[in-house]
Amino acid sequence: MPRPQVDPGRIVIYTDIACVWSTVTIVRLLRARDEAGLADRVRLDHRVFLLEDVNEFPIPKGFLESELPAVSALEPGFGWKTWQGDPADWPVTTAPANEAVHAAKTQSPLAAEQLDLALRQALFRDSRCISLRHEILAVAKDCPAVDAGELARALDDGRARAHMMADYHANRELVQGSPHLFFADGYDVHNPGIEFHWEGEPGSGFPVVDKDDPAVFDELVQRAARL
């Protein structure tokens, strides 16, 4: 099966903004990269693994909140919170938010990185409905590398949507889930450093982390920097 093209100094990462595990991975990748002084040599190349399409249903609020105790213990500094708003305002889709990240990527990889992380904070920390255009753009205005006006025009004319979805469909069977990382040397890894299992059924049970090795992220950014 063909693999996604990965440029040197890039980490292609397939995620969905609504995925808590990919949020942990992104926080750790960015921290490891910055601590290694590699911010100018390594960038994330955000791609989408659209969970609502894979699962054929919206990501349930209760399902994600059952995961919060586990991921909060892994990365407490992110500021995770259960949904503070009206349950009716829970975002039924993350497709517009994921599209916005891809639109920001046409501005620069840094713009995409900033917007992706800010949208995750908006959802998991600030209880904002990131299905909505005005919320996405409000988040974008607080990202220094993002031109929010240009992003608004990109969302309105849909210029990033076709490329995002074409890549998603081309690699849907290859990608094991969110997050899945690919490197220029052919290496790939799904949910690096973390192994977990479910107690009970997903949605009514809860995940238990069996293994957590944050040190793998130092190795991953060094791998990307060498290429």
Side-chain angles (χ1 to χ4, degrees):
M1 181 178 295
R3 299 169 60 84
Q5 176 67 38
V6 184
D7 294 330
R10 296 287 186 266
I11 302 173
V12 166
I13 179 167
Y14 284 88
T15 72
D16 191 306
I17 284 173
C19 173
V20 297
W21 305 101
S22 68
T23 301
V24 170
T25 287
I26 287 168
V27 168
R28 290 177 167 184
L29 277 174
L30 295 177
R31 181 170 61 235
R33 182 192 67 182
D34 293 346
E35 289 177 351
L38 295 171
D40 293 333
R41 294 176 56 190
V42 176
R43 289 291 179 199
L44 304 187
D45 183 349
H46 283 284
R47 313 284 182 94
V48 73
F49 188 68
L50 195 58
L51 293 175
E52 64 203 52
D53 185 71
V54 173
N55 297 325
E56 297 186 341
F57 56 76
I59 304 301
K61 172 177 171 291
F63 180 89
L64 285 183
E65 290 188 342
S66 72
E67 297 177 311
L68 288 184
V71 296
S72 295
L74 298 177
E75 282 296 325
F78 185 75
W80 313 85
K81 292 180 182 177
T82 57
W83 185 254
Q84 303 297 300
D86 189 318
D89 293 333
W90 176 260
V92 69
T93 176
T94 57
N98 285 299
E99 179 184 355
V101 172
H102 282 69
K105 191 165 63 172
T106 66
Q107 298 181 24
S108 71
L110 177 60
E113 289 180 1
Q114 288 184 359
L115 183 59
D116 176 87
L117 185 62
L119 287 167
R120 293 170 189 272
Q121 292 170 330
L123 174 60
F124 293 122
R125 186 191 66 189
D126 303 331
S127 299
R128 298 170 70 172
C129 182
I130 59 170
S131 297
L132 300 175
R133 177 183 181 276
H134 74 274
E135 285 284 13
I136 293 169
L137 294 176
V139 171
K141 289 177 181 177
D142 290 330
C143 297
V146 179
D147 182 331
E150 182 61 22
L151 181 67
R153 289 186 286 274
L155 291 178
D156 290 345
D157 65 29
R159 70 188 69 165
R161 180 74 174 222
H163 184 270
M164 178 184 82
M165 294 307 294
D167 181 79
Y168 162 67
H169 288 300
N171 294 289
R172 176 174 165 171
E173 299 305 317
L174 174 67
V175 174
Q176 296 176 28
S178 173
H180 196 158
L181 285 60
F182 294 84
F183 295 78
D185 64 354
Y187 179 73
D188 69 274
V189 59
H190 172 242
N191 206 18
I194 297 174
E195 297 177 6
F196 67 92
H197 71 276
W198 278 91
E199 291 289 339
E201 293 296 322
S204 59
F206 55 91
V208 175
V209 175
D210 302 306
K211 176 185 176 182
D212 178 37
D213 182 12
V216 302
F217 293 92
D218 298 324
E219 301 168 9
L220 292 176
V221 296
Q222 292 293 339
R223 175 186 290 270
R226 290 194 297 268
L227 303 173

